[in-house]
mmCIF file of all heavy atoms in Angstrom:
data_model
loop_
_atom_site.group_PDB
_atom_site.id
_atom_site.type_symbol
_atom_site.label_atom_id
_atom_site.label_comp_id
_atom_site.label_asym_id
_atom_site.label_seq_id
_atom_site.Cartn_x
_atom_site.Cartn_y
_atom_site.Cartn_z
ATOM 1 N N HIS A 533 -19.682 8.104 26.513
ATOM 2 C CA HIS A 533 -19.166 7.945 25.152
ATOM 3 C C HIS A 533 -18.078 8.955 24.805
ATOM 4 O O HIS A 533 -17.571 8.951 23.681
ATOM 5 C CB HIS A 533 -20.311 8.057 24.150
ATOM 6 C CG HIS A 533 -21.417 7.077 24.405
ATOM 7 N ND1 HIS A 533 -21.244 5.715 24.251
ATOM 8 C CD2 HIS A 533 -22.686 7.256 24.852
ATOM 9 C CE1 HIS A 533 -22.371 5.093 24.560
ATOM 10 N NE2 HIS A 533 -23.258 5.993 24.937
ATOM 11 N N GLU A 534 -17.732 9.815 25.766
ATOM 12 C CA GLU A 534 -16.663 10.780 25.542
ATOM 13 C C GLU A 534 -16.096 11.206 26.879
ATOM 14 O O GLU A 534 -16.790 11.195 27.897
ATOM 15 C CB GLU A 534 -17.173 12.002 24.771
ATOM 16 C CG GLU A 534 -18.234 12.796 25.527
ATOM 17 C CD GLU A 534 -18.666 14.050 24.790
ATOM 18 O OE1 GLU A 534 -18.527 14.109 23.559
ATOM 19 O OE2 GLU A 534 -19.146 14.982 25.458
ATOM 20 N N MET A 535 -14.829 11.566 26.881
ATOM 21 C CA MET A 535 -14.227 12.098 28.104
ATOM 22 C C MET A 535 -12.859 12.676 27.783
ATOM 23 O O MET A 535 -12.238 12.333 26.767
ATOM 24 C CB MET A 535 -14.096 11.014 29.185
ATOM 25 C CG MET A 535 -13.088 9.924 28.901
ATOM 26 S SD MET A 535 -12.885 8.751 30.296
ATOM 27 C CE MET A 535 -14.478 7.948 30.314
ATOM 28 N N TYR A 536 -12.424 13.581 28.649
ATOM 29 C CA TYR A 536 -11.028 13.980 28.651
ATOM 30 C C TYR A 536 -10.228 12.832 29.277
ATOM 31 O O TYR A 536 -10.743 12.108 30.139
ATOM 32 C CB TYR A 536 -10.822 15.251 29.470
ATOM 33 C CG TYR A 536 -11.471 16.479 28.885
ATOM 34 C CD1 TYR A 536 -12.631 17.015 29.465
ATOM 35 C CD2 TYR A 536 -10.924 17.116 27.778
ATOM 36 C CE1 TYR A 536 -13.227 18.144 28.942
ATOM 37 C CE2 TYR A 536 -11.517 18.259 27.240
ATOM 38 C CZ TYR A 536 -12.668 18.756 27.830
ATOM 39 O OH TYR A 536 -13.267 19.883 27.290
ATOM 40 N N LEU A 537 -8.993 12.677 28.870
ATOM 41 C CA LEU A 537 -8.194 11.582 29.398
ATOM 42 C C LEU A 537 -8.024 11.696 30.907
ATOM 43 O O LEU A 537 -8.076 10.689 31.618
ATOM 44 C CB LEU A 537 -6.822 11.544 28.717
ATOM 45 C CG LEU A 537 -5.885 10.415 29.146
ATOM 46 C CD1 LEU A 537 -6.529 9.048 28.921
ATOM 47 C CD2 LEU A 537 -4.566 10.504 28.395
ATOM 48 N N TYR A 538 -7.859 12.919 31.413
ATOM 49 C CA TYR A 538 -7.658 13.069 32.849
ATOM 50 C C TYR A 538 -8.886 12.605 33.632
ATOM 51 O O TYR A 538 -8.773 12.167 34.787
ATOM 52 C CB TYR A 538 -7.293 14.516 33.204
ATOM 53 C CG TYR A 538 -8.451 15.475 33.271
ATOM 54 C CD1 TYR A 538 -9.210 15.604 34.435
ATOM 55 C CD2 TYR A 538 -8.797 16.269 32.182
ATOM 56 C CE1 TYR A 538 -10.281 16.486 34.501
ATOM 57 C CE2 TYR A 538 -9.857 17.141 32.231
ATOM 58 C CZ TYR A 538 -10.607 17.255 33.389
ATOM 59 O OH TYR A 538 -11.666 18.127 33.444
ATOM 60 N N GLU A 539 -10.074 12.664 33.007
ATOM 61 C CA GLU A 539 -11.290 12.243 33.706
ATOM 62 C C GLU A 539 -11.304 10.736 33.965
ATOM 63 O O GLU A 539 -11.950 10.272 34.911
ATOM 64 C CB GLU A 539 -12.523 12.647 32.901
ATOM 65 C CG GLU A 539 -12.768 14.141 32.880
ATOM 66 C CD GLU A 539 -13.991 14.522 32.082
ATOM 67 O OE1 GLU A 539 -14.246 13.891 31.026
ATOM 68 O OE2 GLU A 539 -14.711 15.449 32.515
ATOM 69 N N LYS A 540 -10.626 9.975 33.125
ATOM 70 C CA LYS A 540 -10.492 8.539 33.386
ATOM 71 C C LYS A 540 -9.847 8.317 34.750
ATOM 72 O O LYS A 540 -10.219 7.399 35.480
ATOM 73 C CB LYS A 540 -9.640 7.896 32.287
ATOM 74 C CG LYS A 540 -9.195 6.474 32.569
ATOM 75 C CD LYS A 540 -8.253 5.974 31.497
ATOM 76 C CE LYS A 540 -7.630 4.637 31.874
ATOM 77 N NZ LYS A 540 -6.664 4.729 32.985
ATOM 78 N N LEU A 541 -8.903 9.176 35.081
ATOM 79 C CA LEU A 541 -8.138 9.034 36.326
ATOM 80 C C LEU A 541 -8.845 9.664 37.512
ATOM 81 O O LEU A 541 -8.824 9.110 38.615
ATOM 82 C CB LEU A 541 -6.760 9.678 36.134
ATOM 83 C CG LEU A 541 -5.706 9.495 37.209
ATOM 84 C CD1 LEU A 541 -5.306 8.043 37.338
ATOM 85 C CD2 LEU A 541 -4.475 10.350 36.863
ATOM 86 N N THR A 542 -9.501 10.801 37.286
ATOM 87 C CA THR A 542 -10.019 11.586 38.410
ATOM 88 C C THR A 542 -11.526 11.480 38.599
ATOM 89 O O THR A 542 -12.003 11.286 39.717
ATOM 90 C CB THR A 542 -9.654 13.069 38.231
ATOM 91 O OG1 THR A 542 -10.251 13.573 37.019
ATOM 92 C CG2 THR A 542 -8.150 13.251 38.158
ATOM 93 N N LYS A 543 -12.291 11.615 37.540
ATOM 94 C CA LYS A 543 -13.755 11.634 37.655
ATOM 95 C C LYS A 543 -14.344 10.237 37.703
ATOM 96 O O LYS A 543 -15.168 9.920 38.567
ATOM 97 C CB LYS A 543 -14.362 12.411 36.484
ATOM 98 C CG LYS A 543 -15.884 12.492 36.513
ATOM 99 C CD LYS A 543 -16.400 13.318 35.340
ATOM 100 C CE LYS A 543 -17.924 13.379 35.349
ATOM 101 N NZ LYS A 543 -18.443 14.203 34.211
ATOM 102 N N TYR A 544 -13.921 9.374 36.754
ATOM 103 C CA TYR A 544 -14.511 8.037 36.657
ATOM 104 C C TYR A 544 -13.700 6.967 37.374
ATOM 105 O O TYR A 544 -14.211 5.885 37.638
ATOM 106 C CB TYR A 544 -14.665 7.662 35.173
ATOM 107 C CG TYR A 544 -15.591 8.585 34.430
ATOM 108 C CD1 TYR A 544 -15.094 9.563 33.572
ATOM 109 C CD2 TYR A 544 -16.973 8.496 34.597
ATOM 110 C CE1 TYR A 544 -15.935 10.415 32.886
ATOM 111 C CE2 TYR A 544 -17.827 9.352 33.912
ATOM 112 C CZ TYR A 544 -17.305 10.303 33.055
ATOM 113 O OH TYR A 544 -18.145 11.156 32.388
ATOM 114 N N ARG A 545 -12.442 7.252 37.665
ATOM 115 C CA ARG A 545 -11.552 6.325 38.378
ATOM 116 C C ARG A 545 -11.559 4.943 37.711
ATOM 117 O O ARG A 545 -11.757 3.914 38.361
ATOM 118 C CB ARG A 545 -11.945 6.236 39.851
ATOM 119 C CG ARG A 545 -11.826 7.567 40.576
ATOM 120 C CD ARG A 545 -12.148 7.460 42.041
ATOM 121 N NE ARG A 545 -12.051 8.754 42.702
ATOM 122 C CZ ARG A 545 -12.266 8.957 44.004
ATOM 123 N NH1 ARG A 545 -12.567 7.914 44.792
ATOM 124 N NH2 ARG A 545 -12.170 10.157 44.525
ATOM 125 N N ILE A 546 -11.324 4.950 36.414
ATOM 126 C CA ILE A 546 -11.304 3.725 35.637
ATOM 127 C C ILE A 546 -9.892 3.161 35.669
ATOM 128 O O ILE A 546 -8.941 3.792 35.206
ATOM 129 C CB ILE A 546 -11.748 4.001 34.189
ATOM 130 C CG1 ILE A 546 -13.199 4.506 34.194
ATOM 131 C CG2 ILE A 546 -11.614 2.755 33.327
ATOM 132 C CD1 ILE A 546 -13.649 5.034 32.853
#
Side-chain angles (χ1 to χ4, degrees):
H533 304 293
E534 63 176 24
M535 69 175 67
Y536 293 106
L537 182 57
Y538 80 85
E539 290 180 322
K540 169 186 171 290
L541 188 65
T542 61
K543 180 178 179 179
Y544 298 104
R545 298 183 181 181
I546 297 170

